[in-house]
Amino acid sequence: MPSMENGSSNVPRAEEIKLQANEAFKAHKYGQAIDLYTQAIELNGQNAVYWANRAFAHTKLEEYGSAIQDATKAIEVDPKYSKGYYRRGAAYLAMGKFKEALKDFQQVKKICPSDPDAAKKLKECEKAVMKLKFEEAIAVPESERHSVADSIDYHSIEVEPQYSGAKIEGDVVTLDFVKKMIDDFKNQKCLHKRYAFQIVLQTREMLRAQLSLVDINVPDGSHFTVCGDVHGQFYDLINIFELNGLPSEENPYLFNGDFVDRGSFSVEVILTLFAFKCMCPSAIYLARGNHESKSMNKIYGFEGEVRSKLSETFVELFAEVFCCLPLAHVINEKVFVVHGGLFSVDGVKLSDIRAIDRFCEPPEEGLMCELLWSDPQPFPGRGPSKRGVGLSFGADVTRKFLQDNNLDLVVRSHEVKDEGYEIEHDGKLITVFSAPNYCDQMGNKGAFIRLEAPDLKPNIVTFSAVVSSLCCMSCHFFSFGYMFGVKKDQEPFLYEEV
């Protein structure tokens, strides 16, 4: 324990470091800000502001579990510090835990009864909780539910004579159609619902026929491209195709989850990927990410975007199709590709993943949850997830999984990286993230990985964002714009200044 004299002298130094951390935060260097806030906390752990500010930085990196821990510590240090409750409530909101968030915003309102932003967030939470209760009350039991896909006959949908957009002749999706559709999307034109239904329904049938773990064979002399999160950044998706070629049998891709949410063009992204899948099933493989789920789509924008651009029926249909997406892929029996990461127990075999019944919303624990949510950590063993879901796993866990399954490499996505990728765990794990300048504010590069057979040595290509294209629905994690009617140019968290 430091002496009282030393402790007293630490206070001004801690404040200096906090100001440096604030500057890093304002520059969107959230990892650096977390490191600096940590230093300030080590010098003076009894300042609730430091804990709350670090919670806010964790939130910006989508580390909601860590944000909740830090905000809780801020409340313990100062039970009357309103921002501690505010930031914990914000993290709960981001995780879809509306009832927990409601309690925290009620406390904020109690401490700051005249704060308009606190009142606004409380109202939003109350609305969300009421909506949840209503949905629970009218929910149909699982055993009685019918597939919305079975009720749709796209052939019977009339195409108006004045429609001048891309058209599918008959039942075959052609390259010419996909190119025309992409050009229409570039010009902010919509695809007719008849063809949108056709694409989504045909994709559903193909995905349903696949196993939860898909084996991919890349012939010697051929290549294969793995892309990470795209998150509705349509123009950056098209830039990938311009840099690396359109998907085809000779130029196949795997998009490793999180196609939608956050970005303003998630509908365009998912229809483009699905259309290529319909055109040539072996040209493009699709894996489920943690954002291909109802709960995430409600919070982060996709559900509202679909409702706005297409219809309520499409909301249900996409939810069904997302439950058909495979959970992982293995390339040439050597490279394991998954959105999130590995497991809370040793001994998981590829056969265990193949046997997962994936046709459901992701559970909050177990193999399927961990595949979609887990993250690597720099130290050995396993630890709690910084996200509050899944877990963190070390290089020893990665090494053991590879050895048990006679594999060479894990490729995963799920985390924004400054350079678009990161190589960890003694070179045995690569994170690839393909949404540059994520949410129009992170300043990161995007990346994709080209694997050349037979050695499958990863060649990583990085790229920058092509435009500042309205990428974020409503400033990072709070795409409540579609859920609560917040406009895109509104600042939803003025209260959250560090």
Side-chain angles (χ1 to χ4, degrees):
M1 289 287 292
S3 67
M4 286 297 291
E5 183 178 349
N6 287 338
S8 178
S9 67
N10 285 341
V11 172
R13 177 60 183 150
E15 193 64 16
E16 287 177 17
I17 295 173
K18 183 206 81 168
L19 295 176
Q20 294 173 21
N22 289 356
E23 291 305 311
F25 185 98
K26 291 171 185 175
H28 302 155
K29 297 178 180 177
Y30 303 118
Q32 181 182 342
I34 287 170
D35 291 341
L36 289 166
Y37 287 133
T38 300
Q39 292 178 36
I41 288 168
E42 288 170 351
L43 290 169
N44 180 16
Q46 294 305 303
N47 190 318
V49 174
Y50 302 167
W51 292 100
N53 282 7
R54 193 171 75 173
F56 193 19
H58 278 302
T59 297
K60 288 292 188 179
L61 292 179
E62 304 175 21
E63 298 170 354
Y64 305 123
S66 296
I68 289 167
Q69 290 178 354
D70 278 357
T72 300
K73 184 64 179 178
I75 293 165
E76 290 173 1
V77 170
D78 184 355
K80 294 184 179 180
Y81 184 53
S82 60
K83 283 192 179 179
Y85 296 100
Y86 193 103
R87 288 175 180 164
R88 189 171 69 180
Y92 278 134
L93 270 182
M95 297 177 71
K97 296 186 175 182
F98 301 119
K99 293 176 183 177
E100 292 88 341
L102 178 60
K103 292 177 184 177
D104 279 332
F105 287 117
Q106 286 172 335
Q107 192 65 28
V108 174
K109 189 71 168 62
K110 185 177 179 180
I111 297 171
C112 306
S114 60
D115 187 284
D117 196 40
K120 177 183 171 185
K121 298 316 295 179
L122 177 59
K123 205 168 192 178
E124 288 175 357
C125 277
E126 289 171 341
K127 192 184 295 186
V129 170
M130 286 176 61
K131 186 177 180 183
L132 279 178
K133 288 180 179 178
F134 175 74
E135 289 174 349
E136 289 170 0
I138 65 171
V140 177
E142 192 73 38
S143 59
E144 299 177 20
R145 290 181 189 173
H146 301 287
S147 168
V148 68
D150 295 338
S151 67
I152 300 167
D153 177 15
Y154 64 82
H155 296 96
S156 66
I157 300 174
E158 182 182 354
V159 179
E160 300 80 4
Q162 63 268 30
Y163 174 72
S164 61
K167 297 180 180 180
I168 302 172
E169 302 297 335
D171 289 329
V172 179
V173 176
T174 65
L175 179 58
D176 285 342
F177 163 80
V178 179
K179 286 181 175 178
K180 168 64 173 164
M181 182 186 71
I182 289 173
D183 284 341
D184 288 347
F185 286 161
K186 287 180 181 177
N187 293 310
Q188 307 288 299
K189 295 180 181 178
C190 296
L191 180 67
H192 196 281
K193 291 178 184 177
R194 185 241 191 257
Y195 305 120
F197 274 127
Q198 181 172 346
I199 288 167
V200 178
L201 289 168
Q202 287 185 5
T203 303
R204 174 179 175 269
E205 290 308 303
M206 284 184 278
L207 295 175
R208 285 178 70 192
Q210 295 184 310
L211 297 175
S212 293
L213 175 67
V214 175
D215 289 290
I216 299 171
N217 179 56
V218 182
D220 289 357
S222 299
H223 66 270
F224 189 88
T225 301
V226 180
C227 296
D229 303 37
V230 179
H231 275 302
Q233 295 184 202
F234 173 72
Y235 295 97
D236 294 306
L237 171 66
I238 299 310
N239 188 40
I240 292 172
F241 294 149
E242 290 175 356
L243 292 170
N244 195 57
L246 291 174
S248 67
E249 201 161 1
E250 297 75 31
N251 188 38
Y253 285 80
L254 164 57
F255 281 85
N256 196 29
D258 283 13
F259 323 121
V260 301
D261 280 339
R262 305 211 185 265
S264 297
F265 303 101
S266 292
V267 166
E268 290 78 0
V269 165
I270 198 67
L271 289 177
T272 298
L273 295 177
F274 281 6
F276 275 118
K277 185 71 177 173
C278 293
M279 181 197 80
C280 180
S282 60
I284 197 163
Y285 296 84
L286 302 169
R288 193 173 194 174
N290 62 303
H291 276 267
E292 278 70 53
S293 70
K294 282 184 183 179
S295 59
M296 293 292 101
N297 296 160
K298 279 182 183 295
I299 302 169
Y300 294 97
F302 183 60
E303 181 180 299
E305 185 185 340
V306 171
R307 192 175 285 117
S308 173
K309 292 179 179 178
L310 293 168
S311 69
E312 184 68 38
T313 302
F314 274 98
V315 172
E316 298 179 52
L317 182 58
F318 276 118
E320 280 189 18
V321 177
F322 288 166
C323 290
C324 300
L325 285 163
L327 303 177
H329 293 75
V330 173
I331 303 171
N332 286 9
E333 301 181 343
K334 291 298 178 186
V335 180
F336 179 73
V337 189
V338 65
H339 179 73
L342 301 181
F343 312 103
S344 55
V345 295
D346 288 332
V348 175
K349 297 296 181 67
L350 297 182
S351 57
D352 298 320
I353 302 171
R354 285 192 187 93
I356 294 172
D357 181 3
R358 71 183 188 279
F359 298 98
C360 61
E361 288 302 310
E364 294 190 5
E365 59 183 9
L367 296 186
M368 182 172 171
C369 170
E370 291 162 3
L371 285 164
L372 300 181
W373 280 97
S374 294
D375 295 288
Q377 65 184 23
F379 39 87
R382 295 177 171 90
S385 169
K386 58 194 176 186
R387 300 174 188 269
V389 187
L391 71 145
S392 297
F393 60 96
D396 54 331
V397 176
T398 298
R399 184 169 55 251
K400 181 78 163 57
F401 174 77
L402 293 174
Q403 288 172 350
D404 287 348
N405 291 283
N406 195 28
L407 298 165
D408 294 338
L409 178 68
V410 173
V411 174
R412 45 88 64 179
S413 303
H414 196 38
E415 288 184 283
V416 60
K417 299 294 181 182
D418 288 344
E419 294 302 314
Y421 74 97
E422 186 172 357
I423 301 173
E424 301 171 82
H425 293 185
D426 304 317
K428 295 296 185 182
L429 183 144
I430 303 176
T431 296
V432 60
F433 191 86
S434 301
N437 195 26
Y438 183 45
C439 283
D440 263 0
Q441 67 168 327
M442 299 297 280
N444 61 291
K445 292 180 181 177
F448 54 83
I449 301 174
R450 277 176 64 109
L451 300 163
E452 308 282 343
D455 62 359
L456 297 185
K457 182 179 179 182
N459 176 27
I460 301 172
V461 179
T462 64
F463 57 95
S464 299
V466 289
V467 286
S468 178
S469 56
L470 297 176
C471 281
C472 191
M473 301 296 296
S474 176
C475 186
H476 205 49
F477 61 75
F478 298 111
S479 297
F480 274 68
Y482 279 124
M483 191 169 181
F484 294 119
V486 180
K487 295 179 182 177
K488 289 181 186 176
D489 57 354
Q490 286 180 331
E491 170 54 66
F493 282 115
L494 297 178
Y495 190 86
E496 287 283 8
E497 292 293 337
V498 293

